[in-house]
Each structure stands twice: as structure tokens, then as C-alpha cells.
Amino acid sequence: MFTLLRATALACFCLAAGQAAALDFKPYGRGGFAQIVKAHAGRPLMIHFWSVTCPPCLVELPQWAKMLDAQKGVDIVFVNTDDDEDRPRAEARAEKAGLGKAAHYGFSDDFVEKLYFEADKGWRGELPFTALVAPDGAVTTVTGAVDDPLVVTWLAKSAGR
């Protein structure tokens, strides 16, 4: 009996530990872009949109992990554009890349065109996509890799380097 109780307790502990390690994808629906910008007002902010179906996105995820460590004066938020069905794959990819402690959101609205439009009126869903929000609220958007010269220049200016 005692062994059964210990085994049950161990199983519950392992299950709880596994759940605690899971990423928390907050819902990103209509108005999500403005809410994130407002929550980080006055600080440089990068909002990076990515998907598990975007090979360049997956290749550069480890670069984002390095950037999180290097850019302490810049807030970085990740928005996964996949549907709920692919969220476990997104979670696994983000964890593997070292992004477990980052802020994560996941699309939670089927009207994705509206979500794209809110981030940038000209964005049609191409990935990877990053919105660079200056402390004064000015937004610059970049479609493409994190090492794009525009991103590098923006970081140097916004992070005060």
C-alpha cells in the first residue's frame, strides 16, 4: 500500500512538473497588437510573428533566444500564428530553441486578416514578420530575418547603443 501511495505521489509530481514547464500561449485576438504595445509603453519592443509551417521562422528561433539574452533593454514578445491544433508543435519548437521563459501569444481568432491588418495595414501574413515599436510608439515593420539591417539599426538606436 505504501509503495502504491509513493508511486501515485511521484506520478502526480511528475505530471505537475511537466505542466509547469509548458509554455503559456496567451490568446492573441482582435486588439491584441494594441494591448501588447500598451503593456510595454515607453520601452523598445519587438513583436515577432512566426509559425511552425515557416522554415525560416524555425531556423532563426535560436537567434531570437540569443537576442533575448543580449538585449536586456528591449522587450521581446513572440506571437505564434498557427491554429490551436499546431500549438503543441509550436510549444515544442520554442522550448527547444531556448525560448521557454519568453512572453508568448498565439492567434486565437479565425479572422487572421484582421490580426495582420492591426499589426500593419500592408501585411498579408508573410513570415517571419517583426514589428519594431520604439519607446515613443512609432512602429516599423520588417518581413524577413532577424538579422535584417533594418532590425540591427533599429536595435542600435532604440536600445541606446
Side-chain angles (χ1 to χ4, degrees), residues 10-160:
L10 180 61
C12 288
F13 174 77
C14 290
L15 181 60
Q19 288 175 343
L23 292 181
D24 178 24
F25 281 90
K26 296 173 193 81
Y28 183 93
R30 294 179 206 179
F33 188 83
Q35 290 171 358
I36 292 171
V37 170
K38 184 177 179 182
H40 296 268
R43 292 188 45 84
L45 169 66
M46 300 175 81
I47 305 174
H48 181 66
F49 295 82
W50 69 283
S51 168
V52 296
T53 62
C54 164
C57 297
L58 300 177
V59 168
E60 75 174 12
L61 282 179
Q63 288 178 276
W64 281 100
K66 289 177 186 172
M67 187 175 296
L68 269 175
D69 289 338
Q71 300 296 330
K72 298 298 183 194
V74 178
D75 295 344
I76 303 175
V77 173
F78 297 89
V79 180
N80 179 259
T81 62
D82 297 308
D83 57 24
D84 288 337
E85 183 178 295
D86 283 330
R87 199 77 69 221
R89 288 177 53 207
E91 182 177 316
R93 291 294 192 148
E95 283 281 357
K96 183 178 179 183
L99 295 171
K101 295 183 180 180
H104 293 275
Y105 289 80
F107 272 19
S108 61
D109 191 319
D110 290 335
F111 190 8
V112 296
E113 291 80 7
K114 177 71 172 165
L115 303 181
Y116 300 153
F117 186 81
E118 288 179 0
D120 182 326
K121 291 175 178 57
W123 184 32
R124 301 292 177 251
E126 309 88 336
L127 295 172
F129 180 84
T130 306
L132 309 169
V133 185
D136 66 2
V139 178
T140 303
T141 58
V142 178
T143 302
V146 67
D147 60 356
D148 184 290
L150 184 60
V151 174
V152 174
T153 302
W154 182 89
L155 279 170
K157 181 180 173 187
S158 296

